[in-house]
């Protein structure tokens, strides 16, 4: 009972700490605080040599429910209703057509480069050491 | 960003607590609804939670901006949670090392074409500058998109909406793209979903096959981090 609680507290401290460091770093590095924070955490993993067990146990749980944390920002769309109506055609073209065109392009390129063949077939699910 | 965007008075804290509880309840209902519809794309928890909460807002406190202020602690926590994406990025390093340029090229092609084509459409149709800049982030994972849009001079909330719509279109259009190109390969499907439809596409790819899911996860990480860096450095 106490161990999962401590794992959550520890994970929150690490994540908030890395994010705040990233925020401070964004004064000199012109990247979002989240990207800088992500690099801080990657550096911690690299120095430690692996992902600490408590982070491995808790972070996937948080990432699985991340969508709830988008909601406050998405509510802002309510404030842009009129602008959305005014730009509906541009938005449909920009979101629907370009997304489908991008998908077709990426699929064609991926298929050319990563065509499965018996000898060179690479399976990213196999993450055993090389 | 501070955890609280308001004075720590009893009234503010109690309002904030009330709206956070409402958000969690709406999200819980949305998760159940998504399960009940067998994870139908139009029943995505983000869509249902936002709809429920906006409906409650209209009933209880019609000032959406005020409710967003009450939910500020949740908005703050999105930052640290996004940093947690370091875990899947770290786990994808061995795959990236193994496949190298063969997997980076299609992701980079999508990472360049998707934002530039969408930007061009809005530019040609004379949409506002902030919208043009915001749509550049449409295909990167939502939390990075919101942050990057802010740095570019776009609108974070709109970036999240563009993102979610793009993700849904990506999932819905995949079978048509498969038929059109007569390609239906797990690796290509995974890369397409992860690169263009980010997190929503990756969730779909996991359902298609384990291999699709792994490639989508890799594409999401590479495109998310890569595009966010390139856009911030070039235009920030």
């Amino acid at each position: 009972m106490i161990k999962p609680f401590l794992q959550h507290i520890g994970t929150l401290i690490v994540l908030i700490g890395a994010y705040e460091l990233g925020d401070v770093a964004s004064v000199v590095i012109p990247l979002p605080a989240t990207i800088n924070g992500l690099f801080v955490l990657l550096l911690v993993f690299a120095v430690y040599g692996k992902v600490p067990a408590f982070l491995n146990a808790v972070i996937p749980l948080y990432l699985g429910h991340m969508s709830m944390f988008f909601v406050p920002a998405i509510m802002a769309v309510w404030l842009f209703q009129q602008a959305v109506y005014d730009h509906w055609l541009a938005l449909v073209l920009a979101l629907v057509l370009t997304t489908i065109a991008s998908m077709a392009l990426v699929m064609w390129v991926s298929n050319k480069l990563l065509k499965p063949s018996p000898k060179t077939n690479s399976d990213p699910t196999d993450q055993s050491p090389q | 960003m501070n955890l609280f965007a308001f004075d720590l008075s009893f009234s503010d804290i109690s309002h904030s607590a009330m709206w956070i509880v409402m958000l969690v309840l709406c999200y819980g209902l949305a998760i159940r609804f998504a399960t009940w519809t067998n994870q139908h794309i139009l029943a995505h928890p983000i869509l249902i939670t936002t709809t429920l909460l906006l409906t409650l807002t209209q009933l209880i406190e019609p000032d959406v901006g005020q409710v967003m202020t009450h939910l500020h602690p949740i908005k703050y926590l999105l930052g640290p949670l996004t940093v947690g994406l370091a875990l899947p990025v770290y786990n994808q390093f061995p795959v990236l090392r193994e496949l190298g340029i063969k997997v980076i090229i299609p992701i980079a092609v999508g990472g360049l074409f998707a934002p530039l084509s969408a930007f061009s459409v809005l530019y040609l149709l004379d949409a506002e500058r902030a919208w043009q800049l915001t749509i550049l982030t449409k295909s990167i994972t939502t939390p990075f998109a919101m942050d990057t849009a802010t740095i570019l001079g776009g609108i974070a909330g709109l970036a999240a909406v563009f993102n979610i719509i793009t993700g849904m279109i990506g999932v819905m259009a995949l079978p048509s793209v498969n038929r059109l190109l007569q390609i239906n390969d797990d690796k290509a499907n995974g890369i397409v979903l992860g690169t263009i439809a980010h997190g929503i596409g990756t969730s779909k790819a996991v359902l298609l096959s384990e291999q699709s899911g792994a490639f989508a996860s890799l594409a999401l990480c590479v495109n998310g981090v890569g595009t966010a860096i390139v856009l911030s450095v070039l235009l920030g």
Side-chain angles (χ1 to χ4, degrees), chain B residues 196-212:
Chain B
I196 307 298
H198 50 84
I200 295 176
T202 303
S203 318
K204 174 68 180 175
V206 170
L207 296 176
L208 291 178
S209 76
E210 198 179 344
Q211 194 178 42
S212 277

Side-chain angles (χ1 to χ4, degrees), chain A residues 20 23 30 32 34 51 59 65-67 73-74 78 80 83 98-99 102-107 110 114 121-122 124 127, chain B residues 27 46 64 76 91 95 98-99 106 110 113-114 117 131 138 146-147 155 157 164 170 178 181 187 189 191 215 232:
Chain A
E20 290 296 341
D23 198 25
T34 44
V51 179
I59 288 179
H65 292 290
M66 207 173 182
S67 48
I74 295 172
W78 190 264
F80 297 111
T98 65
T99 298
S102 310
M103 289 174 77
L105 179 65
V106 174
M107 184 164 287
S110 304
L114 291 167
N121 191 10
S122 307
Q127 296 192 14
Chain B
Y27 179 72
I46 295 183
V64 174
Y76 169 82
N91 288 339
V95 185
E98 185 193 338
L99 295 173
F113 185 79
S117 56
W131 288 51
K138 83 180 181 95
M146 289 166 66
D147 257 8
I155 305 157
I164 286 146
N178 287 145
L181 297 182
K187 294 176 186 174
N189 284 343
I191 291 179
F215 270 92
S232 302

Side-chain angles (χ1 to χ4, degrees), chain B residues 22 85 142:
Chain B
M22 297 244 204
L85 285 171
T142 310

Side-chain angles (χ1 to χ4, degrees), chain A residues 12 15-16 18-20 23 30-35 37-39 41-42 45-46 49-51 55-56 59-60 62-80 83-84 87 89-91 93-96 98-111 113-116 120-127 130, chain B residues 1 23 27 46 49-50 53-54 57-58 64 67-68 74 76-88 90-91 95 98-99 102 105-106 109-110 113-114 117-118 121-122 125 128 131 135 138 142-144 146-148 151 155 157 160-162 164 166 169-170 173-174 177-178 181 183 185 187 189 191-192 196 210-211 214-215 228-229 232:
Chain A
L12 280 175
L15 292 180
I16 291 175
Y19 173 69
E20 290 296 341
D23 198 25
L31 292 176
T34 44
I35 296 275
L38 181 136
F39 282 123
L41 203 52
L42 281 176
F45 295 163
K50 60 176 183 174
V51 179
L55 293 179
N56 233 338
I59 288 179
Y62 290 172
L63 294 183
H65 292 290
M66 207 173 182
S67 48
M68 186 184 83
F69 293 83
F70 299 145
V71 173
I74 295 172
M75 287 174 79
V77 76
W78 190 264
L79 309 172
F80 297 111
V84 172
H87 295 298
L89 179 63
L91 286 177
L93 290 174
L95 291 172
V96 180
T98 65
T99 298
I100 295 173
S102 310
M103 289 174 77
L105 179 65
V106 174
M107 184 164 287
W108 183 77
V109 176
S110 304
N111 194 56
L113 292 173
L114 291 167
K115 230 171 196 169
T120 57
N121 191 10
S122 307
D123 181 356
T125 58
D126 174 17
Q127 296 192 14
Q130 299 301 303
Chain B
M1 190 194 285
L23 169 65
Y27 179 72
I46 295 183
T49 310
T50 309
L53 207 61
L54 280 173
T57 304
Q58 293 312 300
V64 174
V67 175
M68 287 168 67
I74 294 289
Y76 169 82
L77 281 174
L78 180 60
L81 292 194
T82 305
V83 169
L85 285 171
L87 179 66
Y90 183 78
N91 288 339
V95 185
E98 185 193 338
L99 295 173
K102 278 186 177 178
I105 288 177
V109 167
F113 185 79
S117 56
V121 170
L122 288 195
L125 293 176
E128 288 164 37
W131 288 51
I135 211 157
K138 83 180 181 95
T142 310
F144 289 159
M146 289 166 66
D147 257 8
T148 309
I151 282 192
I155 305 157
V161 175
F162 288 168
I164 286 146
T166 302
I169 292 167
L174 183 71
V177 176
N178 287 145
L181 297 182
I183 300 169
D185 172 57
K187 294 176 186 174
N189 284 343
I191 291 179
V192 167
I196 307 298
E210 198 179 344
Q211 194 178 42
F215 270 92
I229 291 175
S232 302

